[in-house]
């Protein structure tokens, strides 16, 4: 039987129809492949950039990652494994960014447990903002090296691996100057109280002045001036409690990120307390001088609290008084009192710690003059009781002072 003759046109139509059927048959697979490729691309992008979509609240570690890298570089020579820093149950105190415990630091040797060194170990609260504040304090201490400044010994590696900052400072058995006034003066009967002479107080203040001069003449990594920010008796530490021969060291560096309700307003100068722009207020060397004047007043009263039980508004009003609301103690010598009042004067009139020390404009020159003047004096200082200015029945003094940040 003769085969059917197929024309060229019929062949073309058949080929087109077959290709069209094959194209329709492949379309679902092409769609699946395209969707899979798109899914893989999205997965790759999410792995690279998706962390930004999952950021927690602003008070997290992520905003501080760049700063943490810098702080780790600064503190790297002091980093040790956490096993080389040991805490005890003896809590020495707590501040706005963490706790301070008595502890030990062990050397990196096989006999380390026989060579432990006493230390004051500071650990931050479990909040990222407070942790950064503690590491910033450690970085400031690491850059400073002076015999009248508390020395940083070691920083735990957990500060960066687990973001639980902890560092160890040298141990000073004498405790703080505020503790000395409390334990040796205010908690004892008059007959048992330690005798404190003007020459001893000036000796302590002169050493603190040496530390402030070193700080104010130093610069940070950006070339900016450095200040202490919290000059007070609670932050002056003693090697022992014999005031004639002890070494005084300034510790607890830098006003933390936020003191909260514990902001030391009674020690702060009016340019900070009365500032309308509290967020951008800058702590300058002149502010340290004012706080040093309040410290000198604390010493002259043997541990009285400045502006005791005054409200925020009463403290602001006290700044307008001639004595700035800090009355002259009965046994305070005139030369010493004049120096205190000069420290509590207007910003441009206050003596400076930085610069030459051959004139009356230098706070250190004034202190050395006082030290020489009272070197053989037997003039004593007597305790002044804290006098409350609160007149209400509900004690307005119990209302927290307003918090604000000091940069």
């Amino acid at each position: 039987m003769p085969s059917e003759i197929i024309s060229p046109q019929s062949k073309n139509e058949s080929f087109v129809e077959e290709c069209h059927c094959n194209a329709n048959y492949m379309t679902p697979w092409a769609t699946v492949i395209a969707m899979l490729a798109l899914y893989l691309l999205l997965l790759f992008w999410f792995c690279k950039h998706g962390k930004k979509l999952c950021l927690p609240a602003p008070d997290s570690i992520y905003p501080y990652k760049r700063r943490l890298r810098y702080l780790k570089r600064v503190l790297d020579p002091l980093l040790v494994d956490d096993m080389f820093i040991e805490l005890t149950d003896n809590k020495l105190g707590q501040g706005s960014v963490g706790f301070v415990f008595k502890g030990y630091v062990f050397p990196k040797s096989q006999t380390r447990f026989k060579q432990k060194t006493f230390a004051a170990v500071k650990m931050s609260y479990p909040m990222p903002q407070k942790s950064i504040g503690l590491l910033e304090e450690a970085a400031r201490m690491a850059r400073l090296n002076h015999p009248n400044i508390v020395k940083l010994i070691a920083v735990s590696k957990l500060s960066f691996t687990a973001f639980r900052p902890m560092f160890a400072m040298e141990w000073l058995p004498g405790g703080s100057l505020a503790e000395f006034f409390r334990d040796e003066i205010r908690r004892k009967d008059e007959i048992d109280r330690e005798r404190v002479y003007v020459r001893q107080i000036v000796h302590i203040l002169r050493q603190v002045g040496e530390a402030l001069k070193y700080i104010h003449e130093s610069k940070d990594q950006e070339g900016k001036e450095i200040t202490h920010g919290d000059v007070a008796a609670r932050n002056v530490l003693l090697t022992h409690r014999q005031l004639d021969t002890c070494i005084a060291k300034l510790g607890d560096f830098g006003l933390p990120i936020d003191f909260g309700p514990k902001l030391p307003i009674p020690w702060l100068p009016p340019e900070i307390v009365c500032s309308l722009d509290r967020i951008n207020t800058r702590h300058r060397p002149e502010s340290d001088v004012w706080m040093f004047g309040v410290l000198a007043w604390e010493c002259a009263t043997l541990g009285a609290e400045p502006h005791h039980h005054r409200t925020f508004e009463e403290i602001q009003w006290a700044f307008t008084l001639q004595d700035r609301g800090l009355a002259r103690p009965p046994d305070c010598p005139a030369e010493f009192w004049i120096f205190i009042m000069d420290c509590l004067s207007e910003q441009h009139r206050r003596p400076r710690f930085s610069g030459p020390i051959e004139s009356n404009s230098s706070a250190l020159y004034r202190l050395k003059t006082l030290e020489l003047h009272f070197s053989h004096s037997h003039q004593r200082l007597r305790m002044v009781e804290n006098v409350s200015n609160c007149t209400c029945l509900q004690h307005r003094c119990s209302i927290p002072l307003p918090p604000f940040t000091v940069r």
Side-chain angles (χ1 to χ4, degrees):
M1 185 174 179
S3 60
E4 185 179 352
I5 299 175
I6 302 175
S7 65
Q9 183 177 359
S10 300
K11 286 184 178 181
N12 290 338
E13 290 177 356
S14 175
F15 178 77
V16 171
E17 184 178 355
E18 183 179 351
C19 290
H20 181 68
C21 292
N22 290 339
N24 288 339
Y25 178 75
M26 293 297 295
T27 298
W29 291 105
T31 304
V32 171
I33 293 173
M35 291 181 65
L36 181 61
L38 182 61
Y39 173 77
L40 292 175
L41 287 174
L42 288 174
L43 184 62
F44 175 78
W45 181 90
F46 184 82
C47 292
K48 187 175 182 180
H49 305 284
K51 188 178 291 185
K52 297 179 180 179
L53 303 177
C54 303
L55 285 179
D59 191 22
S60 66
I61 187 176
Y62 296 111
Y64 309 115
K65 290 188 73 173
R66 179 179 297 179
R67 189 62 183 167
L68 279 173
R69 286 195 294 269
Y70 166 76
L71 292 171
K72 188 175 182 180
R73 287 198 304 271
V74 171
L75 298 172
D76 186 67
L78 295 167
L79 290 179
V80 299
D81 293 326
D82 61 299
M83 64 182 293
F84 292 103
I85 301 178
E86 182 178 305
L87 291 175
T88 68
D89 295 332
N90 187 357
K91 181 180 175 183
L92 303 176
Q94 68 183 80
S96 58
V97 294
F99 302 97
V100 182
F101 294 89
K102 185 177 180 180
Y104 307 98
V105 174
F106 301 98
K108 298 178 181 179
S109 63
Q110 293 182 351
T111 59
R112 66 187 187 91
F113 291 107
K114 297 181 182 179
Q115 303 173 6
K116 64 183 180 182
T117 303
F118 282 110
V121 182
K122 198 165 188 177
M123 176 182 290
S124 75
Y125 299 130
M127 292 177 283
Q129 192 181 35
K130 305 298 183 183
S131 299
I132 284 290
L134 195 69
L135 289 174
E136 293 279 6
E137 180 183 343
R140 283 189 290 271
M141 294 180 68
R143 284 194 295 267
L144 301 174
N145 183 19
H146 191 272
N148 296 117
I149 293 177
V150 175
K151 186 179 180 181
L152 186 66
I153 300 177
V155 180
S156 171
K157 289 183 178 179
L158 287 177
S159 302
F160 299 96
T161 56
F163 199 47
R164 190 65 195 276
M166 179 173 66
F167 64 79
M169 304 170 288
E170 63 176 316
W171 173 256
L172 296 173
S176 72
L177 188 58
E179 291 172 336
F180 171 84
F181 290 142
R182 182 191 65 201
D183 299 338
E184 305 297 334
I185 307 292
R186 297 187 167 265
R187 289 185 176 177
K188 290 186 176 181
D189 296 331
E190 186 172 2
I191 192 173
D192 298 324
R193 288 173 186 162
E194 187 81 15
R195 291 187 176 186
V196 179
Y197 297 94
V198 177
R199 67 172 185 271
Q200 296 173 320
I201 292 301
V202 176
H203 171 67
I204 297 294
L205 291 175
R206 197 262 306 161
Q207 295 182 72
V208 177
E210 296 278 4
L212 286 173
K213 177 176 174 59
Y214 173 80
I215 293 170
H216 290 176
E217 291 179 345
S218 303
K219 302 293 182 182
D220 62 10
Q221 73 279 4
E222 298 175 354
K224 297 179 180 179
E225 59 191 9
I226 299 177
T227 61
H228 184 276
D230 194 13
V231 183
R234 60 183 172 272
N235 292 328
V236 177
L237 304 176
L238 310 174
T239 53
H240 54 78
R241 291 196 168 183
Q242 301 298 322
L243 299 185
D244 281 318
T245 57
C246 74
I247 297 175
K249 299 195 177 191
L250 197 54
D252 204 4
F253 273 78
L255 212 56
I257 290 178
D258 190 355
F259 260 95
K262 295 184 179 180
L263 187 72
I265 289 179
W267 282 264
L268 290 176
E271 62 264 23
I272 293 179
V273 177
C274 302
S275 173
L276 297 178
D277 185 10
R278 295 174 180 171
I279 301 299
N280 298 315
T281 302
R282 181 174 176 80
H283 195 99
R284 302 185 59 82
E286 295 87 350
S287 305
D288 276 349
V289 177
W290 174 284
M291 300 187 83
F292 184 85
V294 179
L295 164 65
W297 182 88
E298 285 185 272
C299 294
T301 59
L302 300 186
E305 182 182 339
H307 301 294
H308 181 64
H309 282 183
R310 277 189 174 140
T311 63
F312 181 68
E313 290 75 16
E314 286 173 336
I315 293 175
Q316 290 182 317
W317 170 80
F319 290 149
T320 64
L321 301 177
Q322 187 174 2
D323 61 4
R324 305 298 189 263
L326 303 176
R328 177 181 174 180
D331 295 317
C332 181
E335 299 87 349
F336 190 29
W337 181 248
I338 291 172
F339 173 71
I340 292 176
M341 285 293 98
D342 287 345
C343 291
L344 301 181
S345 59
E346 292 79 9
Q347 279 182 276
H348 64 284
R349 294 178 180 237
R350 298 171 197 164
R352 305 294 177 93
F353 286 101
S354 59
I357 58 172
E358 289 82 18
S359 66
N360 281 334
S361 62
S362 168
L364 202 55
Y365 173 82
R366 300 275 298 275
L367 287 167
K368 289 183 176 180
T369 303
L370 288 172
E371 190 174 25
L372 183 63
H373 179 77
F374 291 105
S375 59
H376 301 292
S377 171
H378 294 283
Q379 190 168 358
R380 292 170 52 191
L381 294 169
R382 300 188 186 277
M383 187 187 77
V384 175
E385 295 286 352
N386 283 326
V387 179
S388 173
N389 294 275
C390 182
T391 57
C392 68
L393 297 177
Q394 290 77 25
H395 291 284
R396 290 175 299 164
C397 54
S398 64
I399 301 175
L401 295 173
F404 59 90
T405 301
V406 178
R407 299 290 183 184

